[in-house]
Amino acid sequence: MERTLIGETPKLVGKTVSLSGWVNIRRDHGKLIFIDLRDRTGIMQTVVIPDSKEAYETAKKLRSEFVVEIEGLVKARPASAVNQDSSTGGVELEAKKVNIISKPEGELAIDVSQESLDLKLETLLDNRTLALRNEKIKSIFKIYSELLSAYDEVMRKEGYVEIKTPKILSSATEGGANFFKIKYFDREACLAQSPQFYKQAGVSFFERVFEIGSVFRAEPHYTTRHVNEYIGLDGEVGFIKSFQDVMDELEKVVLSCMDSISKNCQEELKKYDVVIDESKPIPRITLVEAAEILEKEFGKKLENLDIDAEGERMICEWAKKKHSSDFIFLTNYPTALRPFYSMPGKDPEFTETFDLLFRGLEIASGGQRIHDYNQLVENIKKRKMKPEQFKDYLDIFKFGIPPHGGWGLGSERIVQKILGLGNIKEAILYPRDVKRLTP
Ligand code: AMO
């Protein structure tokens, strides 16, 4: 018999169907055996009665996570039963045949059938492939998948061309020390800290480009918002008049992603009791203004305008109260805090750059770039770096390139903050941190 999906069964009351999936849990009540069956569309209760002899004998052997095929009659469940337990829907299957397709070996480390797995993050990550079978945890990644598709869709709609750039590089793109050195045959290379140089090159041939790609950061610390490998949603756009145009673009893109998630992931959002509010337009304040607000409203002083995690949380609290916005752009970061490619402002102590904060956390950085060859060479020298090291990057500017800018968005941070997850690692299938290289 052809396979029917659980999601299709409400329309098939009175029909005989064959379902395939995993045993979420087996419960025995007197002589009846209840098997909650899980497939990619949901969970459904199946009932095996002793009269169906063969099915009953097989059902007695079943344990959680057995992969099975169950044939039976779709029946409407009494409303009272549905009210008591709504997790398995309004129909059930009266099983006639049960066939074991595959069995787990040995004991399972965790029971994924619970609505919410109340376990330590380490346990969930150590047993990741199993934990990812839990419906609530799976919801995180359905939302993540929606984010990737929404980003792709809006970028293409706005005329950006998707590119994929190399992740093995000869030099670091973002400066600082947080890059991984690797052995590359008889040379040293490093893993890309961002697609920065290549997306700027992309502007010189496509005007507008985007990339969804892996980013590697050798952050030696443990925080709830840093990991060592993440997926960046990058964008770069040419022919801008100022970095305000870049923020306009990013605002459009981010709000469009939020809208798609809100429209297409209602069920998943509900599992986390989350509502996505309209946040339009996103307020923009300079970092200097933010520092004043922090001091006046929260009594917090910023050292050299270097806003920390607490400051970001506070300024978001202010944005919510004052502008009813979950987002806020902080602009014009000090030169000392931004990479060498950032466009200086009228006051050269500051740059034409921004961060985008969402519900207390920085989710994106961006800005206008220096596009003049000589100015860029000077800037590299000013930072005590050697222009020779950036020869290929500098070539981009020798060939002629319009004023441009862009952003890097941390995809996992967006999902973390949408769902209010305590740690970014919850929003990563198989996260990498200082200690974790498996699974
Ligand atoms: P930046 O280094 O600020 O900027 O990174 C951009 C965004 O990436 C995310 N992010 C991280 N997420 C998880 N773990 C980390 N260790 C981590 N580091 C950064 C954040 C951050 O806002 N090239 C520039 C962007 C640009 O100007 O276009 C860049 O990489 O969400």
Side-chain angles (χ1 to χ4, degrees), residues 2-18:
E2 231 175 79
R3 182 183 181 202
T4 296
L5 291 168
I6 288 172
E8 297 165 336
T9 53
K11 291 184 301 209
L12 299 171
V13 174
K15 299 263 189 296
T16 296
V17 299
S18 170

Side-chain angles (χ1 to χ4, degrees), residues 174 193-194 196 199 217 219 225-228 230 234-236 341 362-367 369 406-410 412-413 424:
E174 299 297 323
Q193 286 166 302
S194 76
Q196 187 63 36
K199 64 176 180 167
R217 299 280 172 105
E219 314 273 7
R225 60 190 195 285
H226 288 98
V227 277
N228 299 108
Y230 68 93
D234 276 80
E236 199 72 19
Y341 52 74
E362 171 205 324
I363 57 160
S365 277
R369 329 297 188 185
W407 63 83
L409 259 169
E412 299 88 348
R413 286 190 182 183
I424 186 172

Side-chain angles (χ1 to χ4, degrees), residues 285-294 302 305 331-334 350:
I285 60 169
T286 65
L287 194 56
V288 171
E289 285 164 343
E292 285 162 10
I293 293 164
L294 287 176
L302 292 191
L305 286 179
T331 69
N332 304 90
Y333 277 67
F350 293 91

Side-chain angles (χ1 to χ4, degrees), residues 80-127:
S80 56
V82 179
N83 284 343
Q84 243 179 26
D85 173 17
S86 62
S87 63
T88 49
V91 288
E92 63 183 11
L93 192 80
E94 193 183 291
K96 302 288 180 215
K97 286 187 199 162
V98 178
N99 177 27
I100 296 173
I101 299 174
S102 155
K103 327 176 185 184
E105 289 291 325
E107 286 299 306
L108 298 175
I110 51 179
D111 169 12
V112 300
S113 69
Q114 309 293 315
E115 221 164 280
S116 197
L117 294 187
D118 192 14
L119 295 168
K120 276 200 201 136
L121 181 57
E122 287 308 300
T123 310
L124 293 176
L125 296 180
D126 287 344
N127 301 283

Side-chain angles (χ1 to χ4, degrees), residues 133-185:
R133 295 181 175 197
N134 172 264
E135 291 294 304
K136 191 169 174 188
I137 294 182
K138 255 192 312 199
S139 297
I140 301 173
F141 296 96
K142 289 203 181 147
I143 289 171
Y144 191 86
S145 168
E146 182 63 33
L147 170 67
L148 295 182
S149 123
Y151 188 75
D152 183 285
E153 191 181 318
V154 61
M155 293 304 277
R156 286 172 196 278
K157 192 172 119 234
E158 296 299 328
Y160 292 73
V161 176
E162 180 167 16
I163 57 171
K164 296 289 179 197
T165 67
K167 303 301 163 210
I168 303 177
L169 305 181
S170 64
S171 59
T173 48
E174 299 297 323
N178 66 349
F179 57 87
F180 287 108
K181 272 194 193 146
I182 58 163
K183 193 164 149 22
Y184 190 69
F185 302 105

